[in-house]
Amino acid sequence: MELEEYYGEALPTLRKAEQTLWNIVNACPAQESVGGVQPVIYCKSRIKKPDSMMRKLASRGLPTDAGTALREMHDAVGMRVVCSFVDDVYEVSRWLQTRDDYEVLEVKDYVSYPKPNGYRSLHLILRFTGGRMKGLQAEIQLRTIAIDFWAALEHQMKYKQAIDGSYEKIVREELKRCADEIASVDISMQTIRDLLREEEGR
């Protein structure tokens, strides 16, 4: 099913919200990190595909129509913001929470408190407060480039369902181990940057 068929008259509003998020993130102060590394490396946005949205609604025992999706779900519009360092994730998040284009309904900090599978990301659940987007919810996810690499591969393997039950436990354990190792690298890279900043400040 195509976006137009599922979301109907609401699609232009969803596209407007997606573009608004792009504009907001692009307005984030471009304070350079040590060595000229920008806090935000890249962004990716999407309007949730109908099949994916309907599966999510069905899993929660809800009707699968677009009206229910826009009322009950917060991620019809989503953006991923990939940052250089862990500190940048929090710095950009704090800045995003100062905006008056929307209200922040919830902050989910899976960076400091990872999910059991090792997933680390910071989620902002937003609700637009003005114009034709008023009341529409959206989600911004912020993570480091290292964790984004892990999450992309984990997502592919998870949804391809390429393993049978006999290997599932091993694969989950290995993915968790990889996530922990990548998080350790993030901490090491953050430490190196902090040391360089301290040296520059002398």
Side-chain angles (χ1 to χ4, degrees), residues 10-42:
L11 185 57
T13 302
L14 296 176
R15 286 179 170 152
K16 172 69 174 175
E18 184 181 21
Q19 184 59 54
T20 298
L21 292 183
W22 271 102
N23 295 341
I24 290 169
V25 172
N26 285 335
C28 184
Q31 297 177 356
E32 290 191 352
S33 302
V34 171
V37 179
Q38 297 291 335
V40 176
I41 298 177
Y42 63 86

Side-chain angles (χ1 to χ4, degrees), residues 33-53:
S33 302
V34 171
V37 179
Q38 297 291 335
V40 176
I41 298 177
Y42 63 86
C43 302
K44 185 176 182 179
S45 67
R46 61 101 182 97
I47 295 172
K48 199 172 187 71
K49 294 180 179 179
D51 290 347
S52 178
M53 179 63 84

Side-chain angles (χ1 to χ4, degrees), residues 43-79:
C43 302
K44 185 176 182 179
S45 67
R46 61 101 182 97
I47 295 172
K48 199 172 187 71
K49 294 180 179 179
D51 290 347
S52 178
M53 179 63 84
M54 288 189 288
R55 282 196 303 271
K56 188 171 184 178
L57 288 165
S59 71
R60 300 188 180 191
L62 296 171
T64 59
D65 61 285
T68 301
L70 297 178
R71 284 193 307 272
E72 302 294 334
M73 300 290 105
H74 58 254
D75 62 344
V77 177
M79 170 167 276

Side-chain angles (χ1 to χ4, degrees), residues 111-128:
V111 177
S112 297
Y113 307 96
K115 288 187 175 183
N117 68 346
Y119 176 81
R120 289 168 168 83
S121 188
L122 195 150
H123 297 195
L124 301 178
I125 311 302
L126 318 171
R127 181 164 59 205
F128 290 98

